[in-house]
Amino acid sequence: MIREFQSKDLDTVMNIWLEGNQQAHSFIDPQFFKQNYDIVKMLIPMSTVYVQDLNGVKGFIGVTENYISGLFVVPEYRGQGIGKALVEKAKQRHSELLVHVYKKNSSAINFFLSQQFEIINESINEESNEPELLMRCDIQHHVKIGKCAL
C-alpha cells in the first residue's frame, strides 16, 4: 500500500536512503552521504513523501514541487514494481516531473527512461563533482466523462 509519509517512518526512510545511495553510487565517497545525512533528515518532512508500506516501509519517493528529490527501494524488493508504483503516485499529482540522475548510475537512468522520462540536460553536480543528467517526464492527464455526465 502506498501511503503518505508519517513521522514514525523517518528512521526507516533514512536507513533506506543511506544504504541506497551508498549502493547505487559506489563512485562517490560514502562519507559524502554520511555528511549529508542530517540535512536530508531535516528536509524529508518538508517534502511530499510517499512510502510503499508492505508490512513495513520498503521504498519511498520524495517530491518537492515537481522535482523528484529521491526514489529508493529496499534492495531485496527491487524489480517488483515498487519504484514504478511510487513514480505513478507522483505522476497523479503533477503534469511534469524532473529528476537528476548521476550519469554513472545506468540502472537509474534506464529505470526512468522506462517510465517515459527523457534526458534533457547534462551537467556537473556541484557537491559531488560528478556528471549528472536532468530527466523530465511530461504527464498527460485524461479526464473521462461518460454519456450520462453531460
Side-chain angles (χ1 to χ4, degrees), residues 11-24:
D11 288 337
T12 302
V13 163
M14 288 307 300
N15 287 336
I16 294 169
W17 175 85
L18 183 60
E19 182 180 349
N21 269 310
Q22 290 175 334
Q23 281 185 343

Side-chain angles (χ1 to χ4, degrees), residues 50-135:
Y50 296 100
V51 299
Q52 178 64 277
D53 189 341
L54 304 167
N55 296 316
V57 175
K58 305 303 183 210
F60 74 93
I61 188 168
V63 182
T64 305
E65 294 181 17
N66 66 329
Y67 182 78
I68 297 174
S69 47
L71 173 64
F72 295 91
V73 176
V74 172
E76 52 269 24
Y77 286 85
R78 291 182 191 149
Q80 297 179 25
I82 292 174
K84 179 179 179 178
L86 290 165
V87 169
E88 286 300 317
K89 182 70 171 180
K91 285 181 177 181
Q92 292 173 5
R93 307 272 192 250
H94 300 278
S95 57
E96 176 190 60
L97 287 171
L98 299 167
V99 65
H100 277 103
V101 179
Y102 284 112
K103 193 172 182 179
K104 292 179 183 175
N105 189 350
S106 59
S107 62
I109 293 167
N110 291 332
F111 170 79
F112 282 108
L113 288 172
S114 77
Q115 302 307 305
Q116 288 72 52
F117 282 72
E118 62 182 354
I119 297 167
I120 60 169
N121 193 22
E122 183 174 339
S123 60
I124 301 294
N125 180 289
E126 293 178 10
E127 293 178 344
S128 64
N129 208 31
E130 286 286 335
E132 64 183 0
L133 304 174
L134 178 61
M135 302 180 78

